[in-house]
C-alpha cells in the first residue's frame, strides 16, 4: 500500500520501502532488534549501518540489541524507557472463559479461522488480524475491535508490531511457529513482544495460554514479567555491493559472507530464491544479457515470481483430485509463459529473440 501526497513533509514506511536516496533531517527505525530476523534482518542491519538523518537518527527497539549496535556503530547513545505497567501471567484458560478485550494468538491461517469460528459461536463476534490481509481489510478489523463492536480479536504475530490495541489480556493458542525452515518454540523475547500488547502505558495487562497450547515454562514467564532476555550476539547481513555483470555473478555476490564477527549471513530471502529460479531459465538468461537489464530484473524479481510460486505451492499442498492437479498444472504453464513475457516487458525487449 502506497499513499504519497504531493510534497510530503514526513514519510512513514517499512524498512524495505524507505527511500534511501533522499536527504532527511530526522530518520527513525523502529523494532531494530529485527536485524536478527533470518529473512528481513539484513535490511534492518543495512539501515543501522548506512541510514542517517542529517540532524538526528533514532533506532528504537528491545535492549537485547544494544551490545551488537555498540559494536557495529560505536558512536551511539542509549536511552532506556521502562514499561510503566505490570504484565502478569495468569496460566491456562479455556477459550470460552477468556475475559473480554482479549487477543487470541495463533500462527497459521487455519488455526486463526478455526479459533475465530469457536468465538463467533460462543461470544457472538470476533475480529481477525493477519499479516496476509490487505491493509484495508486489516484496518477495518482493527476498527471493529477498537470501536467495541466485538470484544475479541484473533491474530497471528502480526499483532505484535505496529498495532496499539485496547487489550487487557493476550492468550497464546500456540507457542510454536514455522520460521520458513522449521517449526520452533517462540523465544522469550518474541513471546514478550506479543504479550506486551496487553495493558500498555499505566494500565496493567495479563497473558496466558488457551486452546491446545501447553503452559509457558516458569523461567520463560519470569523473563517476560521481569523483561530479562538474552542479548543478541549478531545481526543478519547481506552484501550490498552487487555484481551485475551476469546473473551468476549477481547470485554469487548476494551469497557473499560477512567479514565481521558481529554479522551473520542472512538466510536466502524470497527475492534471492526467486532470482536463482529465474537464472536457471535459459530464455530469461539470454534476455538478461547486460548489467542494465540484470539490475532491472533484480529490482523486480520478487513480483515477477510470486504468483507462479503460489500456484506451485497450491499444486503441492491443496490439489486433492486429478482435476485440481490438471487445472493447476495448466495454470503453471500459462504463468510460466506470462512470467517470461513480463520479464521481456520489464527489460524492454519485444520478444525473446530480440
Amino acid at each position: 500500500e502506497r499513499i504519497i501526497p504531493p510534497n510530503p513533509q514526513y514519510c512513514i514506511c517499512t524498512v524495505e520501502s524507505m527511500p534511501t536516496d533522499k536527504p532527511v533531517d530526522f530518520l527513525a527505525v523502529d523494532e531494530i532488534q529485527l536485524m536478527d530476523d533470518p529473512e528481513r534482518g539484513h535490511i534492518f542491519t543495512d539501515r543501522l549501518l548506512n541510514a542517517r538523518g542529517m540532524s538526528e537518527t533514532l533506532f528504537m527497539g528491545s535492549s537485547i540489541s544494544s551490545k551488537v549496535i555498540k559494536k557495529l556503530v560505536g558512536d551511539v547513545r542509549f536511552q532506556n524507557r521502562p514499561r510503566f505497567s505490570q504484565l502478569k501471567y495468569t496460566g491456562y484458560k479455556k477459550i470460552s472463559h477468556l475475559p473480554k478485550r482479549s487477543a487470541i494468538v495463533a500462527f497459521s491461517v487455519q488455526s486463526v479461522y478455526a479459533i475465530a469460528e469457536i468465538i463467533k459461536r460462543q461470544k457472538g463476534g470476533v475480529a481477525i488480524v493477519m499479516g496476509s490481509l490487505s491493509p484495508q481489510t486489516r484496518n477495518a478489523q482493527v476498527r471493529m475491535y477498537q470501536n467495541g463492536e466485538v470484544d475479541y480479536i484473533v491474530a497471528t504475530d502480526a499483532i505484535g508490531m505496529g498495532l496499539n490495541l485496547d487489550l487487557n489480556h493476550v492468550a497464546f493458542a500456540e507457542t510454536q511457529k514455522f520460521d520458513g525452515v522449521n517449526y520452533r518454540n517462540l523465544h522469550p523475547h518474541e513471546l514478550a513482544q506479543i504479550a506486551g500488547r496487553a495493558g500498555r502505558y499505566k494500565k496493567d495487562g495479563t497473558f496466558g495460554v488457551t486452546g491446545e497450547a501447553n503452559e509457558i515454562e516458569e523461567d520463560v514467564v519470569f523473563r517476560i514479567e521481569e523483561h530479562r532476555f538474552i542479548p543478541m550476539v549478531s545481526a543478519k547481513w547481506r552484501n550490498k555491493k552487487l555484481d551485475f555483470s551476469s546473473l551468476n555473478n549477481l547470485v554469487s555476490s548476494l551469497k557473499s559472507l560477512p567479514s565481521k564477527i558481529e554479522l551473520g549471513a542472512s538466510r536466502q530471502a524470497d527475492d534471492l530464491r526467486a532470482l536463482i529460479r529465474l537464472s536457471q531459465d535459459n530464455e530469461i538468461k539470454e534476455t538478461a544479457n547486460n548489467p542494465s537489464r540484470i539490475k532491472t530484473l533484480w529490482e523486480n524479481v520478487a513480483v515477477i515470481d510470486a504468483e507462479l510460486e503460489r500456484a506451485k505451492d497450491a499444486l503441492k499442498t491443496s490439489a486433492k483430485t486429478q482435476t485440481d492437479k490438471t487445472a493447476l498444472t495448466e495454470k503453471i504453464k500459462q504463468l510460466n509463459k506470462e512470467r517470461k513475457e513480463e520479464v521481456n516487458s520489464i527489460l524492454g525487449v519485444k520478444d525473446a529473440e530480440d
Side-chain angles (χ1 to χ4, degrees):
E1 182 182 39
R2 287 177 177 266
I3 303 171
I4 307 177
N7 304 315
Q9 296 298 301
Y10 302 90
C11 179
I12 302 172
C13 53
T14 62
V15 289
E16 288 88 349
S17 61
M18 67 182 282
T20 56
D21 56 347
K22 294 181 180 179
V24 294
D25 286 327
F26 172 73
L27 184 146
V29 175
D30 197 10
E31 309 294 0
I32 193 60
Q33 77 279 357
L34 286 178
M35 59 187 178
D36 191 38
D37 183 79
E39 292 227 2
R40 298 179 69 209
H42 68 91
I43 303 167
F44 284 84
T45 303
D46 175 70
R47 304 305 185 247
L48 175 72
L49 295 174
N50 301 309
R52 295 292 182 271
M54 292 187 294
S55 299
E56 186 178 5
T57 303
L58 181 64
F59 295 103
M60 299 171 286
S62 170
S63 59
I64 63 170
S65 59
S66 57
K67 287 186 178 180
V68 172
I69 292 173
K70 183 67 176 175
K71 288 179 180 178
L72 291 175
V73 179
D75 184 18
V76 61
R77 181 163 54 95
F78 292 96
Q79 292 183 353
N80 292 317
R81 293 288 185 268
R83 182 183 171 113
F84 290 130
S85 61
Q86 295 293 312
L87 188 63
K88 289 295 180 184
Y89 181 66
T90 57
Y92 181 89
K93 284 186 175 71
K94 291 182 178 179
I95 292 175
S96 59
H97 293 168
L98 291 173
K100 289 183 176 181
R101 312 311 287 170
S102 286
I104 301 91
V105 179
F107 297 99
S108 71
V109 174
Q110 294 89 340
S111 296
V112 167
Y113 281 118
I115 293 166
E117 186 59 35
I118 292 170
I119 295 173
K120 277 182 186 177
R121 289 201 306 265
Q122 295 180 349
K123 308 287 187 179
V126 65
I128 292 174
V129 170
M130 297 185 291
S132 58
L133 296 178
S134 70
Q136 295 84 356
T137 303
R138 183 195 62 226
N139 293 342
Q141 292 289 303
V142 170
R143 259 194 316 274
M144 185 167 67
Y145 176 81
Q146 288 293 85
N147 291 342
E149 297 172 39
V150 296
D151 284 316
Y152 298 89
I153 187 165
V154 185
T156 61
D157 50 350
I159 201 175
M161 294 178 191
L163 290 176
N164 289 320
L165 299 169
D166 178 23
L167 288 171
N168 295 333
H169 182 75
V170 171
F172 291 92
E174 296 171 344
T175 55
Q176 285 191 329
K177 66 178 286 187
F178 183 69
D179 65 3
V181 177
N182 299 304
Y183 280 97
R184 64 168 178 82
N185 292 325
L186 267 73
H187 300 304
H189 70 270
E190 293 173 319
L191 289 167
Q193 178 83 36
I194 301 167
R197 299 297 102 181
R200 314 288 282 174
Y201 193 46
K202 294 184 178 180
K203 180 182 178 183
D204 292 343
T206 58
F207 70 102
V209 292
T210 190
E212 297 181 6
N214 294 323
E215 292 267 11
I216 299 174
E217 295 177 2
E218 284 186 19
D219 65 317
V220 175
V221 170
F222 174 78
R223 288 181 182 276
I224 295 171
E225 291 182 341
E226 300 298 322
H227 203 76
R228 297 185 183 181
F229 306 113
I230 298 172
M232 286 168 47
V233 296
S234 66
K236 295 297 183 286
W237 175 89
R238 189 166 78 177
N239 184 27
K240 299 290 286 186
K241 297 176 181 177
L242 303 181
D243 183 351
F244 294 106
S245 59
S246 73
L247 281 173
N248 288 341
N249 287 345
L250 175 57
V251 171
S252 296
S253 64
L254 284 161
K255 289 182 175 180
S256 296
L257 297 176
S259 57
K260 292 184 177 181
I261 194 170
E262 295 83 17
L263 297 174
S266 178
R267 180 195 299 167
Q268 280 190 11
D270 289 344
D271 54 1
L272 177 52
R273 287 197 293 268
L275 179 69
I276 292 170
R277 286 190 291 267
L278 291 175
S279 68
Q280 293 167 348
D281 187 301
N282 289 331
E283 287 184 34
I284 291 175
K285 218 170 184 178
E286 290 173 10
T287 304
N289 56 11
N290 63 54
S292 176
R293 287 180 175 176
I294 292 170
K295 186 177 181 181
T296 302
L297 181 65
W298 171 240
E299 290 169 348
N300 294 275
V301 68
V303 176
I304 293 170
D305 203 55
E307 190 174 356
L308 178 61
E309 289 310 305
R310 281 197 294 270
K312 287 181 178 178
D313 287 341
L315 182 61
K316 292 176 185 175
T317 60
S318 305
K320 302 283 192 255
T321 67
Q322 188 58 45
T323 303
D324 291 340
K325 291 177 182 177
T326 301
L328 275 169
T329 301
E330 288 302 313
K331 183 178 180 181
I332 288 169
K333 287 180 182 177
Q334 180 61 30
L335 287 171
N336 253 321
K337 181 182 176 183
E338 290 174 3
R339 180 174 69 173
K340 290 173 185 177
E341 290 172 353
E342 188 172 0
V343 168
N344 289 336
S345 174
I346 288 171
L347 300 184
V349 180
K350 291 182 181 178
D351 56 61
E353 286 77 34
D354 190 6

